[in-house]
Amino acid sequence: MNVLVIGGGGREHALCWKLAQSPRLRKLYCAPGNPGIAEVAEVVALDAADHLAVVAFCEAQAIGLVVVGPEQPLVDGLVDTLRRHRIHAFGPTAAAAQLEGSKAFTKELCQSHGIPTAAYECFDDVDSARAYLADQPLPIVIKADGLAAGKGVVIAETRAQAEAAVDMMFDGALGEAGASVVIEEFLTGEEVSLFALVDGATAIPFGSAQDHKRVGDGDTGPNTGGMGAYSPAPVLTRELQDRAMREIVEPTARAMASAGMPFHGVLYAGLMLTEDGPKLIEYNARFGDPECQVLMARLDSDLLDILLAVADGQLWEIKPRWKDASALVVVMAAKGYPGTPKKGSEIRGIDAAEATGATVFHAGTGRDGDRLVAAGGRVLGITALGKNVTEAQARAYEAVNRIDWPGGFCRRDIGWRAVERETR
Ligand code: AMP
Ligand code: GLY
């Protein structure tokens, strides 16, 4: 079968790397891809926003499955267009992707189906939002309704900060994303990500992970797309995972199906493990990045079988098998990230890093002649396996140390919570 992957980050490199191992694969394409992906797939210059161009490519190349990596094309309805042209796709329709694309939609769904989440109110104008803030306890969480590339959540410690966040969103700083604003209760606990494969009303767990969103060691500094992750997350015990599936993911899948918007694809639940049990912080309608890199490193089953089963509505056939190991990824970013990353610096030492047994996924690399250079904020994901997180961490950093890239940096403490737990 011929497969087209949409996207060009570390997530898509990990998906392509794993798909390339499938005996059922004939030819793998990726659009737009990146230099790392180009080693396992043919990269094509297709604009994912041009849905009909994607359809034309799929028809010309006899693509049997399209795997959509990022959220934007999902929210924009690429899967809807593909389906109308009878092209198989892994990923939700635009209606189902509202679980990621609209925080107000998800909060309302949770409320009407008794799915545990932070208490909230939703506002369409600045005056009522400000009035509501006046007597709310602090800290409080302000969220833009729509997709805001990681900039749409403010945790306000003071009323002045909360008001400033509300003003900023209604002033249009985040564009359309801020036209509605959700104000919600601050939850305390440990955060964990649970991935589930969903095919209409059926959902099965597909691994857990914990990531590090802050740019600096000790979880300090500004938020990023994720500086590293590990899987599985030891904090999400079997019992807690079952409970989160039963109380959060499964009722969501059933609610979406009965509302006529069945979800197909991977549902990524960001959970807070509170004293009252797991509560939903947010959904994503796709794999996380860098979380996907550690999931793919651990997955033993054929990924193509799994994605096809979801796309065909045959999820009941699938029982994913995982390596009996932990995986950890350290993200290497260009200096300046998450502000303005400096592009163009040369990266060397990838072969030496991989000689340790680690896998180097490309997230934001480019070519300048025959030099490999930084072309984005998050640039590499150095992924290693070990018998536990402690060992995977040691192996990942051994590989990181062989990367010769003066223009880059990484955190030195990815996995610290799990390592602490393992050494206790
Ligand atoms: P997001 O950009 O939607 O991934 O949210 C960013 C981060 O904000 C989450 O990963 C949480 O750490 C934090 N967050 C979001 N909502 C809440 C909440 N209700 N209580 C506490 N922290 C939250
Ligand atoms: N690493 C967080 C995300 O993919 O949204």
Side-chain angles (χ1 to χ4, degrees), residues 159-245:
R159 223 160 294 282
Q161 280 171 7
E163 289 173 0
V166 163
D167 290 349
M168 174 274 284
M169 290 177 192
F170 282 116
D171 277 350
L174 304 173
E176 267 304 294
S180 293
V181 168
V182 170
I183 301 181
E184 71 180 31
E185 164 201 17
F186 179 77
L187 298 174
T188 48
E190 199 167 326
E191 272 185 78
V192 70
S193 303
L194 171 62
F195 296 85
L197 295 170
V198 181
D199 136 26
T202 317
I204 63 169
F206 195 56
S208 65
Q210 265 183 310
D211 74 342
H212 295 266
K213 287 218 169 65
R214 303 299 193 93
V215 74
D217 284 3
D219 295 321
T220 55
N223 254 321
T224 71
M227 294 301 291
Y230 47 95
S231 172
V235 68
L236 192 72
T237 58
R238 180 62 201 262
E239 191 193 348
L240 282 172
Q241 175 174 302
D242 289 348
R243 185 166 170 194
M245 287 299 295

Side-chain angles (χ1 to χ4, degrees), residues 79 92 111 121 125 133 157 175 222 234 253 257 265 304 306 342 365 373:
V79 169
Q111 191 171 50
E121 286 292 334
D125 72 278
L133 281 176
E157 305 282 348
L304 184 50
I306 292 175
K342 198 166 169 338
T365 61
V373 298

Side-chain angles (χ1 to χ4, degrees), residues 14 17 228-232 290-299 323-331 353-361 380-401 414-415:
W17 171 83
Y230 47 95
S231 172
E291 292 88 339
C292 187
Q293 303 176 40
V294 280
L295 291 181
M296 292 306 115
R298 281 183 56 226
L299 183 65
K323 294 190 170 72
D324 184 19
S326 294
L328 183 136
V329 57
V330 177
V331 169
E354 292 201 316
T356 66
T359 304
V360 178
F361 292 116
L380 300 174
I382 317 293
T383 306
L385 291 168
K387 65 175 188 289
N388 53 22
V389 178
T390 307
E391 190 177 275
Q393 183 197 53
R395 289 183 176 164
Y397 280 109
E398 186 194 343
V400 165
N401 291 339
I414 298 303

Side-chain angles (χ1 to χ4, degrees), residues 59-306:
E59 286 171 349
Q61 305 303 330
I63 299 295
L65 179 70
V66 179
V67 181
V68 183
E71 61 275 20
Q72 194 69 55
L74 295 169
V75 169
D76 291 346
L78 176 58
V79 169
D80 305 60
T81 307
L82 292 168
R83 289 214 174 155
R84 270 201 302 279
H85 289 82
R86 304 196 184 290
I87 297 164
H88 274 336
F90 178 86
T93 59
Q98 287 183 91
L99 285 176
E100 173 162 4
S102 169
K103 296 199 160 42
F105 173 88
T106 300
K107 296 300 288 191
E108 211 163 286
L109 182 116
C110 288
Q111 191 171 50
S112 52
H113 292 83
I115 295 167
T117 188
Y120 79 103
E121 286 292 334
C122 187
F123 299 93
D124 292 321
D125 72 278
V126 68
D127 293 335
S128 40
R130 271 174 157 267
Y132 176 77
L133 281 176
D135 56 359
Q136 290 302 306
L138 296 165
I140 190 146
V141 185
I142 322 286
K143 299 185 170 181
D145 174 55
L147 290 184
K151 298 188 178 69
V153 177
V154 174
I155 297 179
E157 305 282 348
T158 65
R159 223 160 294 282
Q161 280 171 7
E163 289 173 0
V166 163
D167 290 349
M168 174 274 284
M169 290 177 192
F170 282 116
D171 277 350
L174 304 173
E176 267 304 294
S180 293
V181 168
V182 170
I183 301 181
E184 71 180 31
E185 164 201 17
F186 179 77
L187 298 174
T188 48
E190 199 167 326
E191 272 185 78
V192 70
S193 303
L194 171 62
F195 296 85
L197 295 170
V198 181
D199 136 26
T202 317
I204 63 169
F206 195 56
S208 65
Q210 265 183 310
D211 74 342
H212 295 266
K213 287 218 169 65
R214 303 299 193 93
V215 74
D217 284 3
D219 295 321
T220 55
N223 254 321
T224 71
M227 294 301 291
Y230 47 95
S231 172
V235 68
L236 192 72
T237 58
R238 180 62 201 262
E239 191 193 348
L240 282 172
Q241 175 174 302
D242 289 348
R243 185 166 170 194
M245 287 299 295
R246 199 170 58 239
E247 295 181 359
I248 298 176
V249 174
E250 289 165 8
T252 299
R254 285 195 301 267
M256 292 299 286
S258 56
M261 303 179 256
F263 187 98
H264 299 270
V266 62
L267 187 60
Y268 157 4
L271 305 175
M272 188 72 88
L273 302 178
T274 72
E275 278 181 355
D276 305 328
K279 291 192 179 179
L280 180 72
I281 298 176
E282 61 163 5
Y283 276 129
N284 294 303
R286 45 153 181 101
F287 284 108
D289 197 2
E291 292 88 339
C292 187
Q293 303 176 40
V294 280
L295 291 181
M296 292 306 115
R298 281 183 56 226
L299 183 65
D300 231 355
S301 307
D302 185 332
L303 180 63
L304 184 50
D305 282 346
I306 292 175

Side-chain angles (χ1 to χ4, degrees), residues 1-5 24-29 42 44 46 53-67 82 85-89 304 308:
M1 168 172 299
N2 298 337
V3 176
L4 170 65
V5 174
R24 291 173 74 183
L25 182 80
R26 193 161 72 192
K27 180 136 182 139
L28 183 61
Y29 298 90
E42 182 176 329
V44 285
L46 252 183
V54 177
V55 168
F57 179 85
C58 291
E59 286 171 349
Q61 305 303 330
I63 299 295
L65 179 70
V66 179
V67 181
L82 292 168
H85 289 82
R86 304 196 184 290
I87 297 164
H88 274 336
L304 184 50
L308 271 175

